[in-house]
DNA sequence: CCACACTCTGACCAACCGGTCAAGATTTTT
DNA sequence: AAAAATCTTGACCGGTTGGTCAGAGTGTGG
Protein backbone atom coordinates (compact mmCIF):
# COMPACT_ATOMS: atom_id res chain seq x y z
CA UNK A 1 0.00 0.00 0.00
CA UNK A 2 1.56 3.23 -1.09
CA UNK A 3 1.45 5.94 1.52
CA UNK A 4 -0.68 8.73 0.19
CA UNK A 5 0.97 12.17 0.32
CA UNK A 6 -1.41 12.89 3.21
CA UNK A 7 -3.60 15.11 1.10
CA UNK A 8 -1.32 18.08 0.83
CA UNK A 9 -2.30 18.86 -2.70
CA UNK A 10 -1.93 22.35 -4.06
CA UNK A 11 -5.58 23.07 -3.45
CA UNK A 12 -5.38 21.89 0.14
CA UNK A 13 -2.32 23.98 0.85
CA UNK A 14 -3.99 26.95 -0.73
CA UNK A 15 -7.08 26.50 1.41
CA UNK A 16 -4.97 26.17 4.53
CA UNK A 17 -2.99 29.29 3.80
CA UNK A 18 -6.14 31.25 3.08
CA UNK A 19 -7.71 30.02 6.29
CA UNK A 20 -4.62 30.92 8.27
CA UNK A 21 -4.63 34.42 6.82
CA UNK A 22 -8.35 34.87 7.35
CA UNK A 23 -8.06 33.88 11.00
CA UNK A 24 -5.21 36.28 11.59
CA UNK A 25 -7.09 39.00 9.74
CA UNK A 26 -10.23 38.49 11.79
CA UNK A 27 -8.26 38.88 14.98
CA UNK A 28 -6.41 41.99 13.85
CA UNK A 29 -9.49 43.63 12.33
CA UNK A 30 -11.35 42.98 15.59
CA UNK A 31 -8.61 44.49 17.70
CA UNK A 32 -7.75 47.51 15.57
CA UNK A 33 -10.69 48.08 13.24
CA UNK A 34 -10.34 48.22 9.47
CA UNK A 35 -8.54 51.52 9.42
CA UNK A 36 -6.24 50.65 12.29
CA UNK A 37 -5.31 47.23 11.00
CA UNK A 38 -2.21 46.92 8.83
CA UNK A 39 -1.34 44.22 6.37
CA UNK A 40 2.04 43.97 8.04
CA UNK A 41 0.48 43.17 11.40
CA UNK A 42 -1.87 40.61 9.89
CA UNK A 43 1.13 39.04 8.19
CA UNK A 44 3.04 38.91 11.47
CA UNK A 45 0.12 37.26 13.27
CA UNK A 46 -0.24 34.74 10.45
CA UNK A 47 3.52 34.16 10.44
CA UNK A 48 3.89 34.99 6.76
CA UNK A 49 5.66 37.71 4.81
CA UNK A 50 3.39 40.56 3.85
CA UNK A 51 3.88 40.01 0.14
CA UNK A 52 2.42 36.53 0.54
CA UNK A 53 -0.86 37.96 1.78
CA UNK A 54 -1.17 39.95 -1.40
CA UNK A 55 -0.66 36.79 -3.40
CA UNK A 56 -3.79 35.24 -1.87
CA UNK A 57 -5.80 38.42 -1.40
CA UNK A 58 -5.14 41.19 -3.87
CA UNK A 59 -6.07 44.08 -1.57
CA UNK A 60 -6.74 44.81 2.07
CA UNK A 61 -10.38 45.41 1.23
CA UNK A 62 -10.71 42.06 -0.53
CA UNK A 63 -9.31 40.32 2.55
CA UNK A 64 -11.60 42.28 4.82
CA UNK A 65 -14.60 41.55 2.64
CA UNK A 66 -13.95 37.83 2.81
CA UNK A 67 -13.64 37.99 6.60
CA UNK A 68 -16.93 39.82 6.93
CA UNK A 69 -18.70 37.50 4.50
CA UNK A 70 -17.60 34.50 6.53
CA UNK A 71 -18.90 36.05 9.71
CA UNK A 72 -22.19 36.93 8.07
CA UNK A 73 -22.54 33.32 6.95
CA UNK A 74 -22.07 32.01 10.48
CA UNK A 75 -24.43 34.66 11.74
CA UNK A 76 -27.24 33.35 9.56
CA UNK A 77 -26.73 29.60 9.81
CA UNK A 78 -26.59 29.79 13.60
CA UNK A 79 -30.25 30.64 13.53
CA UNK A 80 -31.78 27.62 11.88
CA UNK A 81 -33.01 26.57 15.31
CA UNK A 82 -35.65 29.22 14.93
CA UNK A 83 -37.76 27.50 12.30
CA UNK A 84 -37.90 23.95 13.55
CA UNK A 85 -39.04 24.96 17.03
CA UNK A 86 -42.62 24.25 18.06
CA UNK A 87 -42.96 27.47 20.06
CA UNK A 88 -41.22 30.56 21.37
CA UNK A 89 -39.87 28.91 24.50
CA UNK A 90 -37.91 26.39 22.48
CA UNK A 91 -37.20 28.58 19.44
CA UNK A 92 -36.13 31.78 21.12
CA UNK A 93 -34.49 29.92 23.97
CA UNK A 94 -32.37 27.91 21.57
CA UNK A 95 -31.58 31.03 19.54
CA UNK A 96 -30.33 32.83 22.63
CA UNK A 97 -28.22 29.81 23.55
CA UNK A 98 -26.76 29.64 20.06
CA UNK A 99 -25.94 33.34 19.84
CA UNK A 100 -24.48 33.43 23.34
CA UNK A 101 -22.27 30.53 22.37
CA UNK A 102 -21.07 32.41 19.30
CA UNK A 103 -20.32 35.46 21.44
CA UNK A 104 -18.30 33.25 23.72
CA UNK A 105 -16.41 31.24 21.12
CA UNK A 106 -15.98 33.80 18.36
CA UNK A 107 -15.95 37.24 19.92
CA UNK A 108 -13.60 38.56 17.24
CA UNK A 109 -16.07 37.83 14.49
CA UNK A 110 -18.81 39.58 16.39
CA UNK A 111 -16.63 42.63 16.85
CA UNK A 112 -15.70 42.82 13.20
CA UNK A 113 -19.36 42.58 12.28
CA UNK A 114 -20.30 45.29 14.77
CA UNK A 115 -17.54 47.53 13.49
CA UNK A 116 -18.61 47.02 9.90
CA UNK A 117 -22.23 47.89 10.64
CA UNK A 118 -21.30 50.83 12.88
CA UNK A 119 -19.31 52.38 10.05
CA UNK A 120 -22.26 52.15 7.69
CA UNK A 121 -21.64 48.66 6.29
CA UNK A 122 -19.44 49.94 3.45
CA UNK A 123 -18.62 46.48 2.12
CA UNK A 124 -21.68 44.35 2.91
CA UNK A 125 -24.50 46.78 2.35
CA UNK A 126 -25.78 44.63 -0.49
CA UNK A 127 -26.00 41.62 1.84
CA UNK A 128 -27.94 43.64 4.39
CA UNK A 129 -30.43 44.73 1.77
CA UNK A 130 -31.02 41.27 0.38
CA UNK A 131 -30.08 38.32 2.56
CA UNK A 132 -30.56 39.97 5.93
CA UNK A 133 -33.87 41.56 4.95
CA UNK A 134 -35.16 38.20 3.73
CA UNK A 135 -33.92 36.38 6.82
CA UNK A 136 -35.45 38.95 9.14
CA UNK A 137 -38.81 38.90 7.42
CA UNK A 138 -38.87 35.11 7.63
CA UNK A 139 -38.26 35.08 11.39
CA UNK A 140 -40.70 37.90 11.93
CA UNK A 141 -43.34 35.77 10.24
CA UNK A 142 -42.54 32.89 12.58
CA UNK A 143 -42.84 35.12 15.62
CA UNK A 144 -46.07 36.61 14.31
CA UNK A 145 -47.46 33.10 13.92
CA UNK A 146 -46.61 32.34 17.52
CA UNK A 147 -48.43 35.50 18.55
CA UNK A 148 -51.46 34.62 16.47
CA UNK A 149 -51.48 31.17 18.05
CA UNK A 150 -51.51 32.74 21.48
CA UNK A 151 -48.13 31.36 22.45
CA UNK A 152 -46.73 34.75 23.43
CA UNK A 153 -47.75 38.37 23.94
CA UNK A 154 -48.31 40.62 20.91
CA UNK A 155 -44.81 42.06 20.86
CA UNK A 156 -43.53 43.81 17.74
CA UNK A 157 -41.38 41.01 16.27
CA UNK A 158 -38.90 43.52 14.89
CA UNK A 159 -37.97 44.99 18.24
CA UNK A 160 -37.85 41.54 19.78
CA UNK A 161 -35.27 40.50 17.20
CA UNK A 162 -33.25 43.65 17.85
CA UNK A 163 -33.30 42.88 21.55
CA UNK A 164 -32.11 39.33 20.94
CA UNK A 165 -29.26 40.54 18.76
CA UNK A 166 -28.32 43.33 21.12
CA UNK A 167 -28.25 41.33 24.33
CA UNK A 168 -26.39 38.32 22.98
CA UNK A 169 -23.82 40.20 20.91
CA UNK A 170 -23.19 42.57 23.78
CA UNK A 171 -21.35 39.80 25.60
CA UNK A 172 -18.86 39.63 22.75
CA UNK A 173 -18.65 43.25 21.60
CA UNK A 174 -18.45 44.66 25.13
CA UNK A 175 -16.63 41.67 26.55
CA UNK A 176 -13.79 43.86 27.69
CA UNK A 177 -16.11 46.07 29.72
CA UNK A 178 -17.85 43.03 31.20
CA UNK A 179 -14.49 41.54 32.10
CA UNK A 180 -13.42 44.77 33.78
CA UNK A 181 -16.62 44.77 35.81
CA UNK A 182 -15.93 41.14 36.71
CA UNK A 183 -12.83 41.98 38.73
CA UNK A 184 -10.76 41.93 35.55
CA UNK A 185 -11.20 38.24 34.95
CA UNK A 186 -13.02 36.52 32.07
CA UNK A 187 -16.41 35.02 32.80
CA UNK A 188 -16.19 31.51 34.17
CA UNK A 189 -18.25 28.63 32.80
CA UNK A 190 -20.76 29.11 35.59
CA UNK A 191 -20.97 32.83 34.90
CA UNK A 192 -21.62 32.24 31.23
CA UNK A 193 -24.40 29.84 32.14
CA UNK A 194 -25.81 32.41 34.55
CA UNK A 195 -25.70 35.03 31.83
CA UNK A 196 -27.53 32.77 29.40
CA UNK A 197 -30.10 31.89 32.05
CA UNK A 198 -30.69 35.54 32.96
CA UNK A 199 -31.14 36.63 29.37
CA UNK A 200 -33.48 33.77 28.62
CA UNK A 201 -35.46 34.23 31.81
CA UNK A 202 -36.04 37.95 31.31
CA UNK A 203 -36.87 37.79 27.62
CA UNK A 204 -39.05 34.69 27.70
CA UNK A 205 -41.03 36.00 30.64
CA UNK A 206 -41.02 39.48 29.14
CA UNK A 207 -42.76 38.35 25.98
CA UNK A 208 -45.17 36.14 27.91
CA UNK A 209 -43.95 32.98 26.21
CA UNK A 210 -46.10 29.99 27.08
CA UNK A 211 -44.66 26.47 26.95
CA UNK A 212 -45.90 24.22 24.21
CA UNK A 213 -49.10 22.39 25.14
CA UNK A 214 -47.81 18.98 24.00
CA UNK A 215 -45.49 17.49 26.57
CA UNK B 1 -24.88 101.41 29.62
CA UNK B 2 -21.77 100.32 27.78
CA UNK B 3 -22.31 97.51 25.33
CA UNK B 4 -20.33 94.52 26.49
CA UNK B 5 -18.01 93.08 23.81
CA UNK B 6 -20.57 90.26 23.48
CA UNK B 7 -18.43 87.88 25.45
CA UNK B 8 -15.86 87.03 22.82
CA UNK B 9 -12.97 87.05 25.21
CA UNK B 10 -9.95 84.93 24.52
CA UNK B 11 -11.16 82.20 26.85
CA UNK B 12 -14.57 82.10 25.23
CA UNK B 13 -13.12 81.88 21.76
CA UNK B 14 -10.84 79.14 22.92
CA UNK B 15 -13.72 77.20 24.39
CA UNK B 16 -15.74 77.61 21.21
CA UNK B 17 -12.92 76.43 18.99
CA UNK B 18 -12.29 73.44 21.19
CA UNK B 19 -15.97 72.57 21.17
CA UNK B 20 -16.11 72.90 17.40
CA UNK B 21 -13.16 70.61 16.98
CA UNK B 22 -14.49 68.08 19.49
CA UNK B 23 -17.82 67.89 17.69
CA UNK B 24 -16.16 67.35 14.33
CA UNK B 25 -13.84 64.78 15.88
CA UNK B 26 -16.71 62.86 17.44
CA UNK B 27 -18.42 62.62 14.09
CA UNK B 28 -15.34 61.53 12.20
CA UNK B 29 -14.21 59.05 14.86
CA UNK B 30 -17.71 57.55 14.85
CA UNK B 31 -17.76 57.18 11.09
CA UNK B 32 -14.24 55.92 10.53
CA UNK B 33 -12.97 54.63 13.86
CA UNK B 34 -9.81 55.88 15.52
CA UNK B 35 -7.48 54.28 13.03
CA UNK B 36 -9.51 55.30 10.01
CA UNK B 37 -10.01 58.88 11.08
CA UNK B 38 -7.49 61.45 9.87
CA UNK B 39 -6.66 64.80 11.36
CA UNK B 40 -7.08 66.30 7.92
CA UNK B 41 -10.67 65.06 7.65
CA UNK B 42 -11.53 66.27 11.14
CA UNK B 43 -10.06 69.64 10.21
CA UNK B 44 -12.15 69.78 7.03
CA UNK B 45 -15.33 68.93 8.93
CA UNK B 46 -14.51 71.57 11.53
CA UNK B 47 -13.65 74.05 8.78
CA UNK B 48 -10.19 74.74 10.16
CA UNK B 49 -6.68 74.17 8.88
CA UNK B 50 -5.12 71.01 10.22
CA UNK B 51 -2.32 72.85 12.00
CA UNK B 52 -4.92 74.64 14.06
CA UNK B 53 -6.14 71.37 15.49
CA UNK B 54 -2.66 70.63 16.72
CA UNK B 55 -2.59 73.99 18.41
CA UNK B 56 -5.55 73.07 20.61
CA UNK B 57 -4.88 69.34 20.86
CA UNK B 58 -1.26 68.28 20.71
CA UNK B 59 -1.86 64.80 19.28
CA UNK B 60 -4.59 62.74 17.66
CA UNK B 61 -4.73 60.59 20.76
CA UNK B 62 -5.18 63.59 23.05
CA UNK B 63 -8.10 64.76 20.92
CA UNK B 64 -9.60 61.28 20.89
CA UNK B 65 -9.19 60.95 24.64
CA UNK B 66 -11.06 64.17 25.27
CA UNK B 67 -13.89 63.05 22.97
CA UNK B 68 -14.21 59.75 24.80
CA UNK B 69 -14.06 61.37 28.22
CA UNK B 70 -16.89 63.71 27.26
CA UNK B 71 -19.01 60.79 26.11
CA UNK B 72 -18.28 58.86 29.27
CA UNK B 73 -19.40 61.85 31.31
CA UNK B 74 -22.75 62.02 29.51
CA UNK B 75 -23.06 58.27 29.83
CA UNK B 76 -22.92 58.47 33.60
CA UNK B 77 -24.94 61.60 34.29
CA UNK B 78 -27.80 60.36 32.11
CA UNK B 79 -28.46 57.76 34.76
CA UNK B 80 -29.25 59.83 37.80
CA UNK B 81 -32.89 58.91 37.31
CA UNK B 82 -32.00 55.57 38.73
CA UNK B 83 -31.50 56.61 42.32
CA UNK B 84 -34.42 58.93 42.94
CA UNK B 85 -36.98 56.43 41.70
CA UNK B 86 -39.28 54.73 44.19
CA UNK B 87 -39.24 51.41 42.37
CA UNK B 88 -38.10 49.48 39.28
CA UNK B 89 -41.04 50.51 37.12
CA UNK B 90 -40.18 54.17 37.46
CA UNK B 91 -36.40 53.80 37.79
CA UNK B 92 -35.68 51.32 35.04
CA UNK B 93 -38.42 52.75 32.87
CA UNK B 94 -36.93 56.21 33.08
CA UNK B 95 -33.43 54.85 32.53
CA UNK B 96 -34.53 53.12 29.35
CA UNK B 97 -36.20 56.30 28.17
CA UNK B 98 -33.08 58.33 28.90
CA UNK B 99 -30.70 55.94 27.19
CA UNK B 100 -32.95 55.53 24.17
CA UNK B 101 -33.06 59.29 23.87
CA UNK B 102 -29.27 59.42 23.94
CA UNK B 103 -29.09 56.76 21.25
CA UNK B 104 -31.43 58.84 19.16
CA UNK B 105 -29.87 62.24 19.71
CA UNK B 106 -26.21 61.37 19.99
CA UNK B 107 -25.58 58.18 18.04
CA UNK B 108 -22.04 59.28 17.18
CA UNK B 109 -21.02 59.39 20.81
CA UNK B 110 -22.44 55.96 21.41
CA UNK B 111 -20.51 54.59 18.46
CA UNK B 112 -17.24 56.08 19.59
CA UNK B 113 -17.78 54.62 23.02
CA UNK B 114 -18.60 51.21 21.58
CA UNK B 115 -15.55 51.33 19.37
CA UNK B 116 -13.32 52.30 22.27
CA UNK B 117 -14.56 49.44 24.45
CA UNK B 118 -14.47 46.93 21.59
CA UNK B 119 -10.81 47.67 21.02
CA UNK B 120 -9.99 47.02 24.65
CA UNK B 121 -10.54 50.52 26.03
CA UNK B 122 -6.93 51.58 25.37
CA UNK B 123 -7.47 55.16 26.54
CA UNK B 124 -10.18 54.95 29.20
CA UNK B 125 -9.31 51.71 30.95
CA UNK B 126 -8.60 53.62 34.15
CA UNK B 127 -12.09 55.13 34.07
CA UNK B 128 -13.64 51.72 33.61
CA UNK B 129 -11.78 50.36 36.59
CA UNK B 130 -12.67 53.21 38.89
CA UNK B 131 -15.68 55.34 37.96
CA UNK B 132 -17.61 52.71 36.04
CA UNK B 133 -17.03 50.02 38.63
CA UNK B 134 -18.25 52.34 41.38
CA UNK B 135 -21.26 53.45 39.37
CA UNK B 136 -22.21 49.89 38.51
CA UNK B 137 -21.94 48.69 42.09
CA UNK B 138 -24.14 51.56 43.23
CA UNK B 139 -26.92 50.73 40.78
CA UNK B 140 -26.60 47.02 41.52
CA UNK B 141 -27.23 47.82 45.16
CA UNK B 142 -30.36 49.77 44.23
CA UNK B 143 -31.66 46.89 42.15
CA UNK B 144 -30.84 44.42 44.89
CA UNK B 145 -32.81 46.54 47.34
CA UNK B 146 -35.80 46.46 45.03
CA UNK B 147 -35.48 42.69 44.89
CA UNK B 148 -35.26 42.43 48.66
CA UNK B 149 -38.34 44.62 48.95
CA UNK B 150 -40.24 42.27 46.68
CA UNK B 151 -40.67 44.84 43.96
CA UNK B 152 -39.20 42.61 41.25
CA UNK B 153 -38.00 39.08 40.61
CA UNK B 154 -34.60 37.98 41.93
CA UNK B 155 -32.71 38.73 38.73
CA UNK B 156 -28.93 39.04 38.80
CA UNK B 157 -28.58 42.85 38.77
CA UNK B 158 -25.40 42.64 36.75
CA UNK B 159 -26.97 40.91 33.79
CA UNK B 160 -29.98 43.19 33.98
CA UNK B 161 -27.71 46.20 33.64
CA UNK B 162 -25.91 44.60 30.70
CA UNK B 163 -29.24 44.00 29.03
CA UNK B 164 -30.28 47.60 29.56
CA UNK B 165 -27.04 48.88 28.06
CA UNK B 166 -27.13 46.44 25.19
CA UNK B 167 -30.70 47.02 24.10
CA UNK B 168 -30.65 50.80 24.29
CA UNK B 169 -27.23 51.36 22.77
CA UNK B 170 -28.04 48.91 19.99
CA UNK B 171 -30.38 51.46 18.47
CA UNK B 172 -27.43 53.85 18.06
CA UNK B 173 -24.55 51.51 17.34
CA UNK B 174 -26.51 49.36 14.88
CA UNK B 175 -28.65 52.22 13.66
CA UNK B 176 -27.52 51.65 10.11
CA UNK B 177 -28.65 48.03 10.18
CA UNK B 178 -31.97 49.00 11.73
CA UNK B 179 -32.43 51.67 9.09
CA UNK B 180 -31.70 49.18 6.32
CA UNK B 181 -34.29 46.80 7.79
CA UNK B 182 -36.73 49.73 7.92
CA UNK B 183 -36.89 50.08 4.14
CA UNK B 184 -33.77 52.23 4.20
CA UNK B 185 -35.42 55.08 6.06
CA UNK B 186 -34.62 56.38 9.56
CA UNK B 187 -37.05 55.53 12.32
CA UNK B 188 -39.95 57.95 12.55
CA UNK B 189 -41.03 59.57 15.81
CA UNK B 190 -43.75 56.96 16.18
CA UNK B 191 -41.30 54.13 15.51
CA UNK B 192 -38.92 55.45 18.15
CA UNK B 193 -41.77 55.55 20.63
CA UNK B 194 -42.73 52.02 19.65
CA UNK B 195 -39.15 50.89 20.16
CA UNK B 196 -39.01 52.48 23.60
CA UNK B 197 -42.36 50.95 24.51
CA UNK B 198 -41.33 47.48 23.33
CA UNK B 199 -38.05 47.54 25.22
CA UNK B 200 -39.71 48.77 28.40
CA UNK B 201 -42.60 46.33 28.13
CA UNK B 202 -40.41 43.28 27.65
CA UNK B 203 -37.85 44.14 30.30
CA UNK B 204 -40.23 45.39 32.97
CA UNK B 205 -42.47 42.37 32.56
CA UNK B 206 -39.44 40.11 32.22
CA UNK B 207 -38.08 41.09 35.61
CA UNK B 208 -41.51 40.94 37.21
CA UNK B 209 -41.47 44.61 38.17
CA UNK B 210 -44.41 45.52 40.35
CA UNK B 211 -45.74 49.08 40.43
CA UNK B 212 -45.16 51.06 43.59
CA UNK B 213 -47.87 50.48 46.21
CA UNK B 214 -48.34 54.19 46.97
CA UNK B 215 -50.39 55.89 44.30
C1' DC C 1 0.61 103.59 20.43
C1' DC C 2 3.40 100.13 21.60
C1' DA C 3 5.03 95.85 23.45
C1' DC C 4 3.59 91.54 24.52
C1' DA C 5 1.19 87.21 24.56
C1' DC C 6 -1.89 84.52 22.27
C1' DT C 7 -3.78 82.61 17.95
C1' DC C 8 -3.49 81.02 13.38
C1' DT C 9 -1.54 78.73 9.17
C1' DG C 10 1.16 77.30 4.83
C1' DA C 11 4.94 74.70 4.03
C1' DC C 12 7.45 71.04 5.27
C1' DC C 13 9.22 66.32 7.09
C1' DA C 14 10.18 61.64 8.63
C1' DA C 15 7.61 57.50 9.17
C1' DC C 16 4.50 54.37 7.63
C1' DC C 17 1.05 52.46 4.60
C1' DG C 18 -0.93 49.44 0.80
C1' DG C 19 0.57 47.55 -3.04
C1' DT C 20 4.09 45.98 -6.88
C1' DC C 21 7.50 43.20 -8.93
C1' DA C 22 11.23 40.46 -10.46
C1' DA C 23 13.57 36.63 -9.33
C1' DG C 24 14.15 32.47 -6.92
C1' DA C 25 12.14 28.14 -4.77
C1' DT C 26 8.96 24.41 -5.09
C1' DT C 27 5.73 21.30 -6.93
C1' DT C 28 3.24 19.26 -10.76
C1' DT C 29 2.94 17.85 -15.50
C1' DT C 30 4.91 16.17 -19.63
C1' DA D 1 14.67 15.34 -16.25
C1' DA D 2 13.06 19.10 -18.37
C1' DA D 3 9.44 22.19 -18.84
C1' DA D 4 5.52 24.43 -17.00
C1' DA D 5 2.81 26.15 -13.48
C1' DT D 6 2.41 27.69 -8.99
C1' DC D 7 4.08 29.65 -4.83
C1' DT D 8 7.23 32.59 -1.88
C1' DT D 9 9.76 36.65 -0.70
C1' DG D 10 12.96 40.81 -0.04
C1' DA D 11 13.35 45.02 -1.94
C1' DC D 12 11.16 48.78 -3.52
C1' DC D 13 7.67 52.81 -4.59
C1' DG D 14 4.31 56.57 -4.64
C1' DG D 15 1.09 58.45 -1.61
C1' DT D 16 -0.67 59.57 2.82
C1' DT D 17 -0.33 60.38 7.76
C1' DG D 18 0.55 62.60 12.24
C1' DG D 19 3.14 66.05 13.68
C1' DT D 20 6.49 70.37 13.49
C1' DC D 21 7.75 75.04 12.94
C1' DA D 22 8.76 79.69 11.64
C1' DG D 23 6.46 83.52 10.99
C1' DA D 24 2.28 86.25 10.07
C1' DG D 25 -1.92 87.92 12.21
C1' DT D 26 -4.69 89.73 16.19
C1' DG D 27 -6.47 91.11 20.43
C1' DT D 28 -4.96 93.06 25.15
C1' DG D 29 -2.85 95.59 28.96
C1' DG D 30 0.01 99.40 30.00
Amino acid sequence: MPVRPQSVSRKDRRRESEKLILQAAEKVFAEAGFGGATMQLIADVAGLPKANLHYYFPTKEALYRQVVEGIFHNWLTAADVFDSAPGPVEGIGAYIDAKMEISRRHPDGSKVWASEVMHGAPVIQDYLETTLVDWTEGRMAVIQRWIDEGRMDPIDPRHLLYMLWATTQHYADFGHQIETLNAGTPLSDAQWEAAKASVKAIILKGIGARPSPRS
Side-chain angles (χ1 to χ4, degrees), chain A:
Chain A
M1 233 188 220
V3 179
R4 294 278 228 71
Q6 50 194 25
S7 79
V8 278
S9 70
R10 284 268 244 261
K11 275 194 178 171
D12 286 343
R13 285 182 61 81
R14 186 175 191 96
R15 248 189 291 271
E16 275 178 33
S17 289
E18 285 176 352
K19 193 176 170 187
L20 188 71
I21 295 170
L22 285 169
Q23 284 176 345
E26 180 173 302
K27 187 177 176 185
V28 173
F29 282 134
E31 287 174 358
F34 177 80
T38 68
M39 294 297 275
Q40 186 61 62
L41 185 54
I42 295 171
D44 291 346
V45 171
L48 296 169
K50 188 184 64 152
N52 205 344
L53 265 64
H54 281 100
Y55 174 73
Y56 287 102
F57 301 93
T59 66
K60 184 184 179 185
E61 280 177 15
L63 173 56
Y64 175 74
R65 171 178 272 270
Q66 200 139 329
V67 169
V68 173
E69 284 177 358
I71 292 162
F72 186 55
H73 184 257
N74 291 342
W75 208 87
L76 286 179
T77 57
D80 291 340
V81 281
F82 227 107
D83 292 315
S84 54
V89 175
E90 299 87 353
I92 294 176
Y95 186 52
I96 291 172
D97 280 334
K99 290 225 72 181
M100 287 292 281
E101 207 58 30
I102 292 179
S103 286
R104 185 179 186 184
R105 305 296 176 192
H106 305 289
D108 285 341
S110 185
K111 287 176 188 174
V112 174
W113 173 261
S115 190
E116 164 69 8
V117 173
M118 275 205 306
H119 297 356
V123 321
I124 43 95
Q125 179 62 25
D126 49 337
Y127 281 84
L128 291 190
E129 290 174 0
T130 56
T131 316
L132 183 63
V133 167
D134 292 346
W135 186 93
T136 304
E137 283 175 0
R139 311 307 135 151
M140 279 173 55
V142 172
I143 293 171
Q144 191 58 53
R145 203 185 65 226
W146 288 335
I147 293 173
D148 295 340
E149 292 172 357
R151 291 167 174 279
M152 54 177 280
D153 295 344
I155 304 287
D156 186 334
R158 203 176 287 273
H159 296 298
L160 173 55
L161 282 176
Y162 296 163
M163 182 174 287
L164 292 172
W165 295 342
T167 48
T168 53
Q169 289 166 212
H170 183 84
Y171 282 88
D173 301 342
F174 289 76
H176 178 80
Q177 180 173 297
I178 289 172
E179 193 173 311
T180 299
L181 291 173
N182 192 46
T185 59
L187 296 191
S188 66
D189 289 0
Q191 286 174 318
W192 271 102
E193 291 306 314
K196 268 198 242 178
S198 289
V199 170
K200 278 195 286 187
I202 295 176
I203 291 183
L204 290 179
K205 178 170 182 177
I207 63 174
R210 284 173 277 287
S212 300
R214 285 279 119 243
S215 90

